Amino acid sequence: QVQLVESGGGLAQAGGSLRLSCAASGRTFNTYAMGWFRQAPGKEREFVAAISRNGGNTYSAASVKDRFTISRDNARNTVYLQMNSLKPEDTAVYYCAASSAILPTMILGDYNYWGQGTQVTVSS
């Protein structure tokens, strides 16, 4: 069992930055690939970024590429999402998730554990 707790959400202006954190407890953190997803009101949950177990491989959605960066610190059992150049369309609840897949994955169903989410609101 893995427990995930996100933090760092809030209100930002367009063009601003936020850094989300996701702290994990339970089974060994470095045995999981980690991902960030988001869900805006009335929309389906969508992939944002993913990172491999050792942090050596990352993938990002085209909509956030070059603006958002995923990273992890296995010594701290934490995964991060640095969000720069924020846009109003980035407004959503952001979720971190853990996957037992060997490689980082964009597929929602590949993730075994989910956090409760943190709200990000970007004003224009």
Side-chain angles (χ1 to χ4, degrees):
Q1 191 79 6
V2 176
Q3 293 80 42
L4 303 172
V5 179
E6 302 97 335
S7 61
L11 178 65
Q13 291 189 334
S17 298
L18 286 173
R19 188 175 83 153
L20 305 183
S21 299
C22 174
S25 60
R27 296 183 62 186
T28 306
F29 179 68
N30 62 5
T31 66
Y32 291 92
M34 299 297 295
W36 286 97
F37 290 76
R38 66 186 181 185
Q39 188 166 17
K43 295 187 177 181
E44 293 188 351
R45 195 169 297 189
E46 65 174 5
F47 170 76
V48 175
I51 189 166
S52 60
R53 297 173 179 180
N54 65 0
N57 292 294
T58 62
Y59 298 101
S60 299
S63 59
V64 305
K65 196 172 180 63
D66 297 328
R67 298 190 298 123
F68 291 9
T69 302
I70 188 171
S71 61
R72 67 189 296 163
D73 184 342
N74 285 346
R76 297 178 182 272
N77 283 9
T78 303
V79 62
Y80 304 98
L81 185 68
Q82 178 65 45
M83 306 187 295
N84 298 329
S85 302
L86 284 163
K87 303 176 181 180
E89 51 263 43
D90 294 320
T91 295
V93 177
Y94 283 71
Y95 299 88
C96 75
S99 171
S100 56
I102 294 175
L103 295 175
T105 172
M106 301 180 289
I107 301 173
L108 190 148
D110 286 344
Y111 287 84
N112 311 96
Y113 303 101
W114 293 84
Q116 82 290 348
T118 185
Q119 176 71 47
V120 171
T121 302
V122 183
S123 62
S124 57

